[in-house]
Structures are given as C-alpha cells and as structure tokens.
Amino acid sequence: MKVFTSNAFASVPEGGNPAGICLETEGLTEGEMQAIAAEVGYSETAFIFPSDSADFKVRFFTPASEVDLCGHATIATFSLMHELGMIGKGTYRQETAAGILAIEIDEEGTVMMEQLLPRFGGFAEKDLIARSLGISSGSIVENLPVQAVSTGLMDLIVPVLDLSAMESIKPDFSLISEISRDLNVTGYHVFTTETLYGSTAHCRNFAPLFDINEEAATGTATGATVSYMHSHGMLDGSVLTNLKFEQGYEMNRPSEIKAVLGTEGKRITDVRVGGTARRSKTLHL
C-alpha cells in the first residue's frame, strides 16, 4: 500500500501539518483504513474514492477514529492531485461526511476549500478551561466567551490575551479530553490577536480526545475561529478576503492558513479556508 504524505499550510519547508493521502483505496474496509491511519501516525490520513454525487469522495481517519472533515488533509489531498496531474486549475466538489463542499484550485496550486456555514454552540466556564490549559483565568479575554463553533467540526474557541499567555500554556491533556467529551467538541482552538507576523490571529490547537495532543495547522478550526471573530465584532468589512492565521510556531512547524469570509450585515454567507502544501515522503505499508 502506497501512502503519500504532504505538509499542508507550510510557510517554510519544515513547517505545516503533515497528512497522509491514500489514492489506492479500491476494496479497502473501514477497519483497514483505520489500521493504515494508525500506522501512518499523522493526525489525519485521507482516503480518496469515486463519488456518485461529487468529483471525489474523501474519508478522513485519525489514528483513533474516523472524523467527518479535516481541513489540512483536504488541502494536502487536492494539492497532491494537482501536482500529480490528476486535476488542474478549476472548481471541484468533494463528498465528505460533513456534506458536499467546493474546492477551488488556482494556477499556482493554492487550494481553497468551502466550509459549512457556522453553527454556534454553547459556552464553557472560563476557570475550568484555564485550569485545563495551565493558565490563569485572567489570561482569557474578559469580554469574550469561550464558545463552541463549527464550520465542519465543532471546536471550542478560546480567546487569550496575548502571545505571552499563548506561550505559557501547559495543557492537561487528560482534562482537555474529558471536557471535550462532555461538551461534544473535537478539541480547543486557542487564539490571540497579538501575532508574530501581522496575521489576523495566532493560534494553537489541542485535540487529545482524538489522539492529537497539538496540531500545527487546523483548517476547520480556522473556519470556526474566523466565524467566531466576526460574530463577536472583531472583524470589519462585508467581504474579508485577505485573512491569515499563523499556527504551529510553538511546535517548530510554522504554518500559514488563509481564510475568506463573506457576509451580509451580521449574517455570514461564505466561509473558505485554504493554502498550499509541500509534498513530503511516500510510505510503503
């Protein structure tokens, strides 16, 4: 079994979030896909199938279980297919467990993926969230909530004051898993508007419930975060086309994620997230 690997959202060669991509899927069972994902060991591995309702059907597996959607693995997958000449510039549709979503690829191979329109969930108690992150409750922004948001996967969006608070995080992965299970979220997406390189926000993502202690770049959580920021008055403009999110720096895997947000007044009409990927090694399992 040949499995390609690619670093999605990499801003430098050693950066980005690695994903596995399996193109040879005919006859694979769910159990075999799960075993392959566990052996690859990356946070997600994508499996590509024909689709009756879209251009491709894509299934995503963490080392522990299948998930409905994965942003960075989507970027890695379509970037690889573009590099291999399987697809060219244009718009495609991928069938996922989260729905059928549009993918746009430009001449340079930048991939932008449609996200579901946001669903806003419940709120979490700040003291408990702070304790699970090993920071003081005062490090969480006072006038903003800790809230669950989904544009494909439900994440808990946690706003912190600054980069100092971000760097001081010492996560209790067991407690984060317990809280994530109780709140029915994939994990935490922590962000601050103080950034290293003039980005929209600086982010860290923790999803130990799915065996992902920390992730270097998280596409679906970026869609949730930009939706959260708009809903709480943190962004200006009716069509926001040049949003950038930096992630992975605390892991020495610098990543840049692009986002586009379309709105009509306070209503969000379009969420897209994307970037580029750098092909890495090929695994033979």
Side-chain angles (χ1 to χ4, degrees):
M1 172 65 65
K2 181 190 295 185
V3 179
F4 295 94
T5 68
S6 185
N7 296 325
F9 303 119
S11 58
V12 295
E14 66 273 17
N17 195 0
I21 307 105
C22 187
L23 301 176
E24 301 170 355
T25 58
E26 185 177 359
L28 282 181
T29 67
E30 186 170 304
E32 288 169 336
M33 287 186 281
Q34 185 62 73
I36 290 168
E39 186 170 351
V40 172
Y42 292 151
S43 57
E44 277 89 7
T45 296
F47 296 83
I48 318 305
F49 295 89
S51 172
D52 294 330
S53 53
D55 296 296
F56 304 94
K57 179 178 180 179
V58 189
R59 296 180 67 176
F60 304 96
F61 286 79
T62 77
S65 64
E66 186 173 9
V67 293
D68 289 350
L69 182 65
C70 176
H72 85 275
T74 295
I75 299 300
T77 295
F78 281 83
S79 177
L80 174 70
M81 290 195 292
H82 180 270
E83 181 183 342
L84 295 177
M86 297 171 61
I87 55 177
K89 174 186 175 182
T91 300
Y92 301 88
R93 296 189 307 154
Q94 68 164 343
E95 177 190 351
T96 74
I100 295 177
L101 303 173
I103 304 292
E104 296 177 11
I105 305 175
D106 68 15
E107 292 177 349
E108 304 300 320
T110 298
V111 181
M112 295 298 292
M113 58 181 176
E114 178 187 16
Q115 304 276 278
L116 297 177
L117 294 180
R119 290 190 298 116
F120 294 91
F123 304 96
E125 197 269 312
K126 289 183 178 180
D127 287 343
L128 177 61
I129 301 305
R131 179 156 58 88
S132 70
L133 290 169
I135 59 177
S136 69
S137 57
S139 295
I140 298 178
V141 179
E142 182 178 3
N143 63 344
L144 290 172
V146 175
Q147 184 176 17
V149 184
S150 172
T151 54
L153 295 176
M154 189 67 76
D155 281 283
L156 194 66
I157 310 302
V158 184
V160 298
L161 291 172
D162 50 30
L163 288 173
S164 177
M166 190 73 80
E167 292 165 1
S168 69
I169 290 173
K170 295 180 176 59
D172 181 334
F173 294 121
S174 177
L175 184 54
I176 291 174
S177 292
E178 179 183 332
I179 293 168
S180 298
R181 187 180 297 107
D182 290 345
L183 297 177
N184 196 27
V185 298
T186 302
Y188 295 7
H189 203 64
V190 186
F191 80 95
T192 176
T193 54
E194 182 182 11
T195 66
L196 294 170
Y197 298 109
S199 304
T200 306
H202 181 98
C203 306
R204 296 182 71 177
N205 185 276
F206 307 99
L209 183 62
F210 289 89
D211 289 349
I212 308 167
N213 283 347
E214 183 166 2
E215 194 164 46
T218 319
T220 51
T222 298
T225 300
V226 71
S227 300
Y228 170 101
M229 294 178 74
H230 176 267
S231 72
H232 293 290
M234 302 177 70
L235 300 173
D236 296 321
S238 58
V239 179
L240 300 153
T241 59
N242 193 31
L243 304 172
K244 294 186 296 183
F245 292 80
E246 56 189 45
Q247 191 179 332
Y249 286 84
E250 291 78 9
M251 303 173 65
N252 294 317
R253 295 196 65 88
S255 305
E256 180 182 279
I257 306 167
K258 299 177 181 180
V260 172
L261 189 72
T263 64
E264 293 179 0
K266 294 184 177 181
R267 186 170 68 90
I268 294 173
T269 58
D270 179 35
V271 183
R272 282 173 283 157
V273 171
T276 58
R278 296 173 185 257
R279 184 173 168 187
S280 183
K281 56 191 176 182
T282 302
L283 305 176
H284 296 273
L285 307 182

